Amino acid sequence: MPMPSQQIMRLGLGFAVSQAMRVVIELRVPDLLTAGERAVDDLAAATRTNADALYRVMRLLAAEGVFREVSPRHFELTELGAALRSDRPGPGDFVRMINSEAYLAFEQLLYSVRTGKPAFDKLFGSPRFDWLSKHPEQADLFQRAMVALSQGSNEAVAEAYDFSPFTRVVDVGGGHGQLLSAILSRNPHLSGVLFDLPSGVAAARQGAGGDLPRTEFIAGDFFESVPRGDVYVIKKVVHDWDDERAAAILRNCRRAMQPDGKVLVAETLVPPGDEPNQIKGIDVVMLAITGGLERTEEHYASLFAAAGLRLEQVIQTQGPISILEASPA
Ligand SMILES: C[S@@+](CC[C@H](N)C(=O)[O-])C[C@H]1O[C@@H](n2cnc3c(N)ncnc32)[C@H](O)[C@@H]1O
């Protein structure tokens, strides 16, 4: 067992590994190693970088299992490193996204802890999503990172819940429509409503998230009202908002739903206890960057209660996401 001081230093150096990963992804080193091992001098020539500096960064990442130094200054890709290739959205997009402007804001986490407000807004002069809307390249990277993060989640939610008692599913803040598409393709008896801001609806209508048969596209603001239906799905939306705003969205679902309808909140729960779980890291990142928060099951139960709903059951899907099913209280 390493001494406490050594363990603390390792924890404190987490930023070095994180930024080193970002650097090799930006340089597309994992792509360059796809065909097999290469000398670092060769990689430096291909990436127009300083060979000795690149070597030191790759040696650090080899110690973390991202590369393997097969002979002096020759590296190959490990299974971990292969996940950083750029041919499709993957965890590398998340690493790049989180280590850019979000990383700068995170340096001011102490401000967020003192005030409860996102440091991002203070540093960049506007909330994260407003800022992204004016920076298309970063917004594109953010989208890729979100696609990577939610890989498998839409299918997992669609598979895990029995939609047979319902006729009309409303996806609140449905974004590009991947979840609604997965639900409708498995449930031919259902019609759908894709509800989002005008920008989200436009992308979904063009098929950005897959086929949407039997679907009505409705643009609006979920803080004002949501369309009528008998089952509401609301995935990775509630965690974007503080309790007051989150309860306002759920209250609007409560108002619009039929008496025997259900609200399905799909989120990743913060588990009880001290066990390591990446959602605890995401939660603190949200504190500093967006102002959102991740919640425990108990926290969601009290949020539902504040919105006139009652938590009926929690369904753990095959993916890293749970379904919290609520009925009118
Ligand atoms: C984190 S995304 C989740 C998208 C989708 N549910 C998913 O799981 O991929 C949040 C969504 O909420 C939408 N949204 C944000 N504010 C909204 C509002 N006031 N009214 C309706 N939709 C809104 C955004 O456009 C975005 O599509």
Side-chain angles (χ1 to χ4, degrees), residues 27-38 42-43 46-47 85:
L27 296 173
R28 300 189 180 237
V29 172
D31 295 352
L32 294 170
L33 290 175
T34 303
E37 68 165 271
R38 284 177 82 165
D42 184 20
L43 289 169
T47 55
R85 290 195 322 232

Side-chain angles (χ1 to χ4, degrees), residues 16-294:
V17 173
S18 194
Q19 284 290 350
M21 278 205 289
R22 176 196 176 188
V23 165
V24 296
I25 298 165
E26 297 281 355
L27 296 173
R28 300 189 180 237
V29 172
D31 295 352
L32 294 170
L33 290 175
T34 303
E37 68 165 271
R38 284 177 82 165
V40 83
D41 290 359
D42 184 20
L43 289 169
T47 55
R48 293 205 250 143
T49 53
N50 178 290
D52 290 337
L54 182 62
Y55 173 67
R56 291 158 66 186
V57 165
M58 291 187 69
R59 179 172 61 185
L60 168 65
L61 292 175
E64 298 292 338
V66 175
F67 302 114
R68 194 174 298 116
E69 190 171 3
V70 286
S71 60
R73 291 172 72 94
H74 284 67
F75 289 91
E76 71 177 14
L77 217 47
T78 62
E79 201 184 326
L80 267 192
L84 301 179
R85 290 195 322 232
S86 68
D87 42 2
R88 61 198 134 82
D93 294 306
F94 176 76
V95 172
R96 283 174 63 213
M97 183 276 287
I98 212 66
N99 281 292
S100 44
E101 60 288 340
Y103 178 86
L104 295 178
F106 210 67
E107 197 272 330
Q108 299 194 21
L109 176 63
L110 186 56
Y111 165 84
S112 294
V113 171
R114 288 214 162 100
T115 61
K117 293 182 185 153
F120 187 95
D121 303 20
K122 176 172 164 271
L123 192 66
F124 288 89
S126 67
R128 172 72 164 155
F129 292 108
D130 293 355
W131 188 90
L132 283 176
S133 70
K134 292 184 193 93
H135 295 82
E137 219 173 288
Q138 271 82 7
D140 191 48
L141 176 59
F142 180 81
Q143 272 313 324
R144 280 179 66 97
M146 291 305 109
V147 171
L149 273 187
S150 69
Q151 254 160 18
S153 290
N154 297 309
E155 287 71 21
V157 170
E159 280 293 326
Y161 193 76
D162 176 12
F163 287 91
S164 61
F166 307 105
T167 57
R168 184 170 150 99
V169 53
V170 183
D171 191 346
V172 178
H176 291 183
Q178 290 100 325
L179 175 59
L180 189 58
S181 178
I183 293 171
L184 291 176
S185 70
R186 284 166 179 78
N187 295 279
H189 69 285
L190 276 182
S191 66
V193 177
L194 192 291
F195 180 71
D196 204 291
L197 295 170
S199 54
V201 170
R205 201 193 283 276
Q206 284 162 18
D211 273 356
L212 286 169
R214 312 180 300 282
T215 295
E216 208 181 326
F217 297 87
I218 303 182
D221 177 355
F222 50 44
F223 292 114
E224 284 178 10
S225 64
V226 303
R228 296 205 158 275
D230 55 4
V231 61
Y232 290 79
V233 291
I234 173 158
K235 175 176 152 274
K236 292 282 177 188
V237 169
V238 176
H239 78 158
D240 285 337
W241 304 99
D242 62 26
D243 283 355
E244 198 182 316
R245 308 281 276 168
I249 302 169
L250 294 174
R251 210 171 293 122
N252 282 339
C253 295
R254 169 75 185 87
R255 258 186 219 124
M257 76 197 288
Q258 290 169 9
D260 56 353
K262 302 280 185 207
V263 175
L264 310 178
V265 168
E267 294 283 357
T268 305
L269 295 175
V270 178
D274 290 341
E275 68 185 76
N277 188 300
Q278 68 183 25
I279 200 67
K280 295 176 183 175
I282 303 256
D283 175 56
V284 177
V285 167
M286 290 183 69
L287 168 69
I289 312 301
T290 64
L293 70 153
E294 303 296 348

